[in-house]
Amino acid sequence: MTQSEQQATPTDEFTTRGAYVHEGEEYTRDTAYIEDRITRDGRDGWPVEAGRYRLIAARACPWANRTIIVRRLLGLEDAISLGLPGPTHDARSWTFDLDPDGRDPVLGIERLQQAFFARFPDYPRGITVPAIVDVPTGGVVTNDFAQITLDFSTEWVDHHRPGAPALYPQDLREEIDTVNRRVYTEVNNGVYRCGFAGSQDTYEAAYDRLFTALDWLEDRLTTQRYLVGDTITEADVRLFTTLVRFDAVYHGHFKCNRSTLSELPVLSAYARDLFQTPGFGDTVDFVQIKRHYYIVHKDLNPTQIVPVGPDTGFWRTEHGRERLGGSPFGAGTAPGPVRAGEEVTPGHGA
């Protein structure tokens, strides 16, 4: 996509104006997801079965980006196919406008909403990504983003690639869960509480909580390369997808502007270390990320002008984190090249 295409004037068709900020109110995320799980024993009616399910995950969305990373790190490409909606959506649904004829090539649908309605005709909540769809029926199985990646690690083990890393090792789960809870409430969701705050007071409270947590992470990562243990875990994946969007979106668009990520020496080096690790940076599309936030959130950005910067070359600069020891994949190995057809569009990464 050229710069002029990136900044082409959108229409209200791709916005959800007024849907996010409610005057005088603190932002509260709706966390009522479809909690069905795909498991080895199929206890919810959805057994692990290679080729049966399709992951729908927009590159623009941080919650969906997690699933793309974990799927790639574990080598689940042959077991679970990937559908990629475009970066913009309206009040109804994410759409497959990047695919030929605007339809997902496997499910044959134009909107993710159709998969939700195929199972729940009167589905009353938001149509969110990531979502896993049962290909034979065309119905959604789950959109519980936090559980999806954990199940990729624990339930899909028979389909992991040789050398797949242990992202959720049994001996570290309690610590990973504890770190994840704070990162979710204060950072992953914390940037949204800043951006969608409906009053000065709720914004300032969210801002203070966010940067208190970022300072805590800066201290924690000063003497250790990764968040938990000496290898990459689920905790690093969850933090990374917020950090990689910080300067491009959250600093300005969400008013998280005490400092840029690049001005936080430890966190910025940590984030660059992960970005340069196979499976992380090669899933990130900065053009789609910016188009999503700056176009869809018209209540925050009425002009829908998409910024040109910041310079993404920062993500390829030296990080120096090797001096802290540790090994990204532990006893495992790095994933191979990105699957053909799943590459980030040239010029959209770093």
Side-chain angles (χ1 to χ4, degrees):
M1 179 178 293
T2 66
Q3 179 174 310
S4 61
E5 288 172 321
Q6 176 184 331
Q7 295 186 299
T9 302
T11 69
D12 281 344
E13 178 185 358
F14 300 109
T15 75
T16 50
R17 186 172 188 172
Y20 299 100
V21 179
H22 301 284
E23 187 173 354
E25 297 181 13
E26 179 182 12
Y27 172 69
T28 302
R29 182 176 296 278
D30 180 358
T31 57
Y33 301 105
I34 302 168
E35 296 182 345
D36 285 16
R37 295 175 57 191
I38 301 169
T39 56
R40 282 178 284 181
D41 62 8
R43 57 185 175 272
D44 289 347
W46 308 105
V48 167
E49 184 179 328
R52 176 172 173 176
Y53 305 100
R54 186 159 177 82
L55 171 65
I56 306 300
R59 293 192 189 277
C61 170
W63 320 100
N65 193 179
R66 297 176 178 183
T67 61
I68 298 173
I69 291 170
V70 172
R71 172 180 173 270
R72 173 152 158 65
L73 292 177
L74 298 178
L76 291 172
E77 292 94 336
D78 287 336
I80 307 169
S81 66
L82 176 65
L84 296 166
T88 55
H89 65 77
D90 58 20
R92 288 174 60 194
S93 183
W94 293 85
T95 56
F96 295 98
D97 46 286
L98 301 178
D99 290 309
D101 302 321
R103 293 179 180 273
D104 179 85
V106 172
L107 300 174
I109 57 177
E110 297 175 335
R111 292 174 172 273
L112 180 56
Q113 183 185 57
Q114 292 167 262
F116 280 70
F117 286 177
R119 185 173 174 207
F120 304 106
D122 299 315
Y123 189 73
R125 316 196 82 86
I127 307 299
T128 63
V129 289
I132 296 183
V133 177
D134 178 45
V135 174
T137 64
V140 67
V141 175
T142 181
N143 63 342
D144 188 352
F145 67 87
Q147 191 61 50
I148 287 172
T149 50
L150 297 181
D151 285 344
F152 281 177
S153 283
T154 60
E155 301 295 331
W156 288 82
V157 289
D158 292 339
H159 300 281
H160 289 182
R161 65 177 175 87
L167 299 179
Y168 196 48
Q170 186 69 51
D171 62 326
L172 295 177
R173 287 183 188 176
E174 183 176 356
E175 185 176 2
I176 290 171
D177 291 345
T178 299
V179 169
N180 282 347
R181 278 192 293 272
R182 185 170 185 184
V183 168
Y184 169 75
T185 59
E186 309 303 291
V187 181
N188 300 146
N189 197 47
V191 293
Y192 286 86
R193 283 205 315 272
C194 290
F196 296 153
S199 71
Q200 188 69 34
D201 288 345
T202 59
Y203 161 69
E204 290 183 10
Y207 177 100
D208 289 342
R209 287 178 62 179
L210 169 65
F211 282 99
T212 296
L214 291 178
D215 289 341
W216 164 69
L217 289 165
E218 185 90 349
D219 289 342
R220 182 182 181 93
L221 290 164
T222 296
T223 56
Q224 62 189 68
R225 189 171 178 184
Y226 303 110
L227 273 176
V228 180
D230 58 2
T231 66
I232 289 167
T233 67
E234 173 82 15
D236 300 293
V237 176
R238 295 190 181 198
L239 178 57
F240 172 79
T241 58
T242 296
L243 295 182
V244 80
R245 288 161 174 76
F246 201 90
D247 289 2
V249 176
Y250 303 141
H251 179 269
H253 186 58
F254 277 179
K255 306 179 185 70
C256 303
N257 61 353
R258 191 196 74 179
S259 57
T260 62
L261 176 68
S262 59
E263 292 168 337
L264 297 171
V266 174
L267 270 176
S268 64
Y270 163 81
R272 295 198 308 278
D273 186 6
L274 292 177
F275 188 94
Q276 294 168 32
T277 300
F280 285 83
D282 52 30
T283 72
V284 174
D285 188 314
F286 287 109
V287 171
Q288 289 197 29
I289 287 169
K290 290 189 293 185
R291 283 181 61 81
H292 170 68
Y293 285 92
Y294 286 98
I295 291 174
V296 171
H297 302 156
K298 196 173 179 181
D299 45 355
L300 298 187
N301 185 38
T303 65
Q304 298 176 281
I305 294 172
V306 180
V308 175
D311 181 4
T312 58
F314 156 81
W315 290 98
R316 292 296 179 189
T317 60
E318 184 177 351
H319 55 76
R321 297 282 292 176
E322 301 93 339
R323 64 179 176 78
L324 295 174
S327 173
F329 303 108
T333 58
V338 176
R339 179 65 55 92
E342 296 184 2
E343 306 95 338
V344 171
T345 302
H348 286 205

